[in-house]
Amino acid sequence: MKKAYFLIFALYIVLFSACSPVKYVADGDYLLDDVRMDIKNTQLKNNDAESYVRQQPNLKIFGLFRAHLRLYSLSRKDSIKSNGRVRHLGRALRKMGEPPVIYNSMMRIQSERQIEKYYRAKGFMNAKASSDVEYKKKRAVVTYHVDEGVPFVINNIDYDYRGDTAIKKIVETDRFYESKLKNGMLFDSDELDAERNNMSSLLRRRGYFYFTKDYISYTADTTVGDHKVDITLELKPFSKTQSDGSRVDVPHAQYKIADISVVTLDKPIVSQTELLQYDSVRSEEGILIKYMYKPFLRSSVIEDNIIFGAGDMYNSYRSDFTLSKFNSLGIVRAAYVNFVDKHNDENEVDCQITLSPTKTKSVSANVEATITSLHDFGFGGTLGWSHHNIFRGSERLSFKLSYSQEAVSGIILTSDSTNKIRDYGASVTLTIPRVMFPFLSRDFKRRINASTELDASFNIQRMGYKRDQLSFGWKYMWQRRRFYNYTIDFLDYNLVRMAEADSFRARYFNDHSNPILLYNYTDHQILCTGFTYTFDNMLSQRVLDKKLFKASFETGGNMFRLFRNVFNYDRDSIGGQDLIFGVPYSQYVKTELEYAFNQYINEKCRMAYHAKAGVAVPYGNSKGVPFEKRFYGGGASGVRGWAVRTLGPGKYSNEDYLAQTGDINLLLNLEYRIKLFWKLELATFLDGGNVWTIDDYPDQQGGVFDIKEFYKQIALAGGAGLRLDFSYFLIRFDLGMKIHDPSRIDDGSEWRINHHRCDESKCPIRMNWNDDFAFHFAVGYPF
């Protein structure tokens, strides 16, 4: 370990310390070393003003050293004149690195003007910005000083509708519209623009096809005194072109939808000449559908995804929602909605929707391998086939086959002393992009962006016995607005049947008194329902600070309990459990909360925060929560100093794969992400968390949750990772190191970071690679 530390330190010295960051700064120029803000304002964020500085220094990793600049400086000045290998290496280093930012006095002056403009737009009309520069050893430090002055605030707000009583009535009576302008708030031009946008959106939802925010202006009267402003929002009339070419001001008009046509292309790109050869047909609701050979979507599906009809008032919200519904169909590559003014006396517009198809079928394959600290090797893979339009309604039918094999040390599974676990699996899933449920009106179904998923799977596990699992699922998923998603697990059924397991249970569970472990290796069944709410804008390109919030609730066994007398009801004479068709069923309730926040620092750096907590409680017909529904610690998305399912519960210290699960889960993560060069990204992280049991089981000593002790049993791990970001997917390599190991609390060596430099006499349990480090390979971010 000491040799590794020495090599890393030596590599850093060679790569970075030997090259000067001012190597490519010419004589008479200065490297922009730092930008500082001297602002004493308490009403605005200083970092908002800093974004208006036109020149920023080179990026510092962790705020300490400029790795990109030093990488650039490693290239030789004469690389373009050297042999081909050196020349290409120099170009590569320059491309991966970052050239020095040379201080520019003109950009400093422009920054002063931009900062003043920003403060004045926020209501600080008398703001003044200045700056000074400090030069030292070919480096420059710029400090911007802002004297914001006394801000102007809104004293009174008035509206001038220029006699348009129809628009006045809509704005004043619409129950979904509320002005965000308030007396006493800052005279902020951004807030005024937001108000103009809100009024424009309201009127476009109410039939005003041509209305934009440019038809709303405002005047500000600053003569009120005492830094107060009277605001008047004014409505401008519509300028209409007459038949003779002249323009005249007229009141704004509401428009209705005349004819609706849908063009279903037979390939992604079609020329205008080819479109003229398309056939057409009218649907039952009068929609004109154009196609080449046959529409790739049924007419009823097209009708269900259009939430407006001929004769309806134009509504921008319904237009956008229709576009969203079509784009959410898996068979649709792209959708476009266009309205054309007919220029008639009835104020009508025609609507044309264009749908472009994507590939109908796809094949997927995935192979992965793992190796544990005990040198147990495992591998697995899946092969899948999907049809994205099986019934011409964008229904997706998927088949998947899987196989995996893994060795588990410490468990003798069969009489021939092998310890391999083999899994075979097959599944089929049908996703229907609409709600499939009786008694719901067609109008209700078309007004929600929802889908139905039906799935079935069968899994065979061989590990010294036969464990077969049959599963059925029926769920609904829908989206309400862009980032809000809801899922109802209407039915989730799992049946586990065991065979030839008596010898395994006698061998492995002989010393186990935990009913949960034994229960999961006997016949059992789970019938549960659940609900999940998710807010997720992590993939949004418009939002800098991204958030994820997820809340889920699940309960199992209640339907069996309610109808147990209808089924073949019996009672297990040994375990005392109710049986349905001769198999015991589980009863439990489970809930989880998850929150993630990605804070934008600059275009190359982000800080990611993550928290997750959950609890599962058995009751009624169960003494414990089923193994499939319990929590586990460690892994690539957990506390990364531990391999998956090797942490906890509590301070439980035995390496027992089956016993290292719990009923309570807590996970906290902090990660700093930096984009390096090419597709490489660096991350450092700090993880904390653990799982606990609700009851104190004899074979999980120290695993029970105690409000007075649980915080002492929180595991901590730190580490670093490299990621390859290929836009469509991300490959992640993380190396985690244990910092606080709760399983070592009893022997006093829980703080592992203190045990890597000490004599064996002082540290009986020293830090070592196999026990205190874990390497993870995964696809995608952990949160």
Side-chain angles (χ1 to χ4, degrees):
M1 186 60 66
K2 292 182 178 180
K3 292 181 179 179
Y5 289 149
F6 175 78
L7 289 175
I8 293 173
F9 180 74
L11 182 64
Y12 173 81
I13 293 296
V14 171
L15 290 180
F16 296 110
S17 299
C19 56
S20 171
V22 295
K23 178 179 179 179
Y24 288 105
V25 178
D27 293 337
D29 289 337
Y30 295 89
L31 174 71
L32 183 61
D33 193 53
D34 196 10
V35 171
R36 301 168 184 172
M37 304 296 294
D38 177 23
I39 305 174
K40 298 180 176 61
N41 173 49
T42 58
Q43 299 188 55
L44 299 178
K45 295 180 180 179
N46 290 353
N47 57 351
D48 289 341
E50 190 173 351
S51 64
Y52 288 87
V53 175
R54 303 293 296 272
Q55 231 188 350
Q56 295 288 348
N58 293 97
L59 175 68
K60 284 186 177 181
I61 292 184
F62 310 121
L64 299 176
F65 58 94
R66 296 187 171 96
H68 296 78
L69 174 58
R70 291 184 178 274
L71 194 63
Y72 184 92
S73 300
L74 281 174
S75 63
R76 296 176 51 180
K77 287 186 177 182
D78 59 347
S79 60
I80 58 174
K81 299 180 182 179
S82 304
N83 60 65
R85 181 177 299 178
V86 176
R87 181 169 61 250
H88 292 314
L89 176 61
R91 288 177 179 175
L93 289 173
R94 294 189 179 204
K95 186 176 181 180
M96 292 186 295
E98 186 179 78
V101 177
I102 306 301
Y103 163 70
N104 187 309
S105 60
M106 290 301 298
M107 296 185 73
R108 175 175 62 85
I109 297 173
Q110 292 175 5
S111 298
E112 292 178 7
R113 295 173 181 172
Q114 291 295 321
I115 293 173
E116 280 187 0
K117 185 177 179 180
Y118 163 73
Y119 271 90
R120 291 173 181 176
K122 290 296 182 180
F124 297 84
M125 306 299 294
N126 299 320
K128 298 291 183 182
S130 60
S131 61
D132 57 53
V133 187
E134 179 182 353
Y135 302 98
K136 185 177 181 181
K137 296 182 178 179
K138 298 189 73 173
R139 301 170 189 254
V141 176
V142 180
T143 303
Y144 292 94
H145 308 277
V146 180
D147 180 9
E148 63 276 3
V150 180
F152 283 72
V153 297
I154 296 177
N155 179 62
N156 186 51
I157 306 167
D158 194 14
Y159 296 85
D160 183 2
Y161 295 100
R162 300 290 181 91
D164 197 325
T165 57
I167 289 183
K168 178 181 179 181
K169 184 178 180 180
I170 291 174
V171 174
E172 293 180 351
T173 61
D174 190 280
R175 61 192 181 96
F176 295 108
Y177 176 77
E178 181 180 359
S179 175
K180 296 182 180 180
L181 298 179
K182 307 294 181 183
N183 293 340
M185 67 185 297
L186 288 175
F187 175 48
D188 189 337
S189 61
D190 291 335
E191 294 293 338
L192 289 167
D193 282 340
E195 181 71 9
R196 296 167 63 207
N197 283 321
N198 289 339
M199 290 183 65
S200 174
S201 297
L202 167 65
L203 295 173
R204 286 180 59 81
R205 293 196 302 269
R206 299 295 291 271
Y208 291 88
F209 176 67
Y210 282 109
F211 203 93
T212 67
K213 74 171 186 177
D214 294 330
Y215 286 108
I216 304 171
S217 62
Y218 63 87
T219 58
D221 183 5
T222 60
T223 63
V224 180
D226 197 21
H227 295 88
K228 294 182 178 180
V229 184
D230 285 344
I231 301 295
T232 302
L233 290 167
E234 300 177 354
L235 177 67
K236 297 179 181 179
F238 181 72
S239 181
K240 186 177 182 179
T241 303
Q242 300 287 81
S243 57
D244 60 358
S246 62
R247 302 186 68 84
V248 60
D249 290 341
V250 297
H252 293 271
Q254 292 174 296
Y255 284 74
K256 291 184 178 181
I257 298 173
D259 193 28
I260 302 174
S261 62
V262 178
V263 180
T264 59
L265 305 180
D266 63 315
K267 52 186 177 181
I269 300 177
V270 177
S271 67
Q272 189 64 34
T273 303
E274 291 174 311
L275 281 176
L276 295 176
Q277 302 175 11
Y278 273 41
D279 294 326
S280 63
V281 64
R282 287 279 179 182
S283 70
E284 293 183 0
E285 296 185 359
I287 297 175
L288 183 66
I289 302 176
K290 300 178 181 180
Y291 58 93
M292 172 58 80
Y293 303 107
K294 183 171 66 173
F296 65 84
L297 289 173
R298 301 192 308 272
S299 60
S300 60
V301 175
I302 293 175
E303 291 175 339
D304 288 344
N305 283 278
I306 301 175
I307 63 170
F308 51 81
D312 291 349
M313 193 76 71
Y314 168 78
N315 187 317
S316 62
Y317 170 77
R318 292 189 176 184
S319 172
D320 294 341
F321 190 41
T322 296
L323 180 64
S324 174
K325 285 172 67 70
F326 276 117
N327 279 322
S328 66
L329 300 179
I331 191 60
V332 175
R333 177 177 178 267
Y336 306 94
V337 179
N338 186 39
F339 291 89
V340 179
D341 191 352
K342 298 188 71 171
H343 297 288
N344 56 16
D345 295 335
E346 287 76 20
N347 293 328
E348 292 180 323
V349 291
D350 286 335
C351 174
Q352 178 176 299
I353 301 173
T354 304
L355 304 177
S356 173
T358 187
K359 292 182 179 179
T360 305
K361 302 173 185 178
S362 63
V363 177
S364 62
N366 180 45
V367 178
E368 57 184 27
T370 61
I371 184 168
T372 69
S373 60
L374 299 177
H375 306 292
D376 292 332
F377 178 74
F379 67 91
T382 60
L383 179 65
W385 175 89
S386 296
H387 194 296
H388 299 274
N389 199 29
I390 189 68
F391 303 122
R392 289 181 52 239
S394 194
E395 300 89 353
R396 179 178 179 180
L397 181 65
S398 301
F399 293 96
K400 184 178 291 185
L401 299 175
S402 63
Y403 173 79
S404 65
Q405 178 176 305
E406 183 178 359
V408 180
S409 296
I411 302 180
I412 305 300
L413 302 175
T414 60
S415 57
D416 59 359
S417 300
T418 63
N419 63 341
K420 294 181 180 179
I421 304 173
R422 294 183 175 89
D423 274 285
Y424 312 82
S427 65
V428 56
T429 303
L430 176 63
T431 303
I432 306 169
R434 51 197 166 275
V435 177
M436 304 297 292
F437 197 83
F439 314 119
L440 295 179
S441 67
R442 186 180 182 186
D443 183 65
F444 173 80
K445 294 179 180 179
R446 72 200 309 178
R447 289 181 182 276
I448 62 173
N449 192 9
S451 61
T452 305
E453 183 177 287
L454 306 172
D455 66 81
S457 63
F458 187 70
N459 181 266
I460 301 172
Q461 189 179 78
R462 296 293 180 261
M463 45 186 290
Y465 55 79
K466 297 180 179 179
R467 186 176 191 266
D468 300 332
Q469 181 174 346
L470 178 66
S471 301
F472 296 100
W474 179 1
K475 69 174 61 175
Y476 298 102
M477 300 166 288
W478 78 95
Q479 185 179 53
R480 181 181 174 271
R481 292 186 290 176
R482 185 178 179 186
F483 303 120
Y484 299 83
N485 297 280
Y486 306 84
T487 301
I488 293 179
D489 287 298
F490 182 72
L491 177 66
D492 188 357
Y493 177 74
N494 289 271
L495 173 64
V496 175
R497 301 302 298 261
M498 305 292 299
E500 302 177 10
D502 292 340
S503 60
F504 171 77
R505 285 193 291 262
R507 180 184 300 113
Y508 187 69
F509 290 100
N510 187 43
D511 297 328
H512 279 260
S513 56
N514 189 333
I516 297 175
L517 303 181
L518 184 58
Y519 165 74
N520 285 282
Y521 285 86
T522 55
D523 293 351
H524 66 276
Q525 56 186 329
I526 305 170
L527 179 63
C528 64
T529 58
F531 173 79
T532 302
Y533 161 78
T534 305
F535 172 85
D536 185 2
N537 63 4
M538 288 291 184
L539 298 179
S540 173
Q541 300 296 325
R542 300 180 180 180
V543 181
L544 292 179
D545 294 333
K546 306 177 188 298
K547 297 179 182 179
L548 165 71
F549 176 74
K550 185 177 181 179
S552 63
F553 177 81
E554 175 184 332
T555 182
N558 294 330
M559 191 174 296
F560 275 152
R561 189 74 172 182
L562 183 63
F563 297 103
R564 62 177 181 171
N565 293 327
V566 178
F567 296 102
N568 184 15
Y569 165 69
D570 199 357
R571 180 175 290 274
D572 184 4
S573 59
I574 300 176
Q577 291 180 290
D578 292 345
L579 307 178
I580 299 294
F581 302 115
V583 180
Y585 62 90
S586 302
Q587 272 191 286
Y588 66 94
V589 61
K590 177 180 178 180
T591 184
E592 285 187 274
L593 294 174
E594 182 177 8
Y595 177 77
F597 177 63
N598 284 8
Q599 182 182 15
Y600 176 86
I601 299 176
N602 55 50
E603 60 182 6
K604 291 188 177 181
C605 298
R606 280 188 177 274
M607 184 69 75
Y609 310 87
H610 178 249
K612 189 175 183 180
V615 59
V617 181
Y619 67 95
N621 203 47
S622 297
K623 296 181 180 179
V625 178
F627 183 80
E628 298 91 336
K629 302 297 182 179
R630 303 192 90 203
F631 302 104
Y632 58 87
S637 299
V639 184
R640 282 165 279 186
W642 282 258
V644 64
R645 296 182 183 270
T646 61
L647 172 61
K651 61 177 182 178
Y652 177 73
S653 60
N654 292 327
E655 293 184 356
D656 191 335
Y657 172 82
L658 300 177
Q660 292 191 277
T661 58
D663 309 306
I664 298 174
N665 176 48
L666 177 64
L667 177 63
L668 301 170
N669 307 93
L670 178 65
E671 187 168 287
Y672 186 59
R673 299 169 182 168
I674 310 154
K675 292 188 180 297
L676 297 177
F677 46 83
W678 187 52
K679 301 182 184 299
L680 279 179
E681 183 178 294
L682 172 68
T684 58
F685 55 83
L686 179 66
D687 302 329
N690 207 335
V691 297
W692 294 267
T693 61
I694 291 178
D695 294 326
D696 191 4
Y697 298 111
D699 58 348
Q700 287 180 304
Q701 290 292 330
V704 67
F705 181 85
D706 187 341
I707 192 65
K708 298 180 180 179
E709 297 290 331
F710 85 95
Y711 66 92
K712 300 178 183 178
Q713 300 169 3
I714 293 178
L716 296 176
L722 283 176
R723 289 86 192 272
L724 290 171
D725 188 357
F726 295 99
S727 298
Y728 294 104
F729 67 96
L730 179 139
I731 299 176
R732 175 164 55 97
F733 305 91
D734 287 337
L735 178 64
M737 179 187 71
K738 295 179 182 178
I739 298 176
H740 181 260
D741 185 354
S743 68
R744 299 185 184 274
I745 289 178
D746 292 339
D747 59 32
S749 61
E750 66 271 22
W751 291 102
R752 304 306 300 153
I753 201 167
N754 295 331
H755 290 259
H756 70 297
R757 293 180 182 175
C758 57
D759 297 332
E760 189 171 346
S761 59
K762 298 180 180 179
C763 299
I765 305 177
R766 297 187 62 192
M767 201 173 197
N768 64 78
W769 179 265
N770 287 338
D771 291 340
D772 295 304
F773 291 85
F775 176 76
H776 304 279
F777 166 78
V779 176
Y781 286 113
F783 44 84

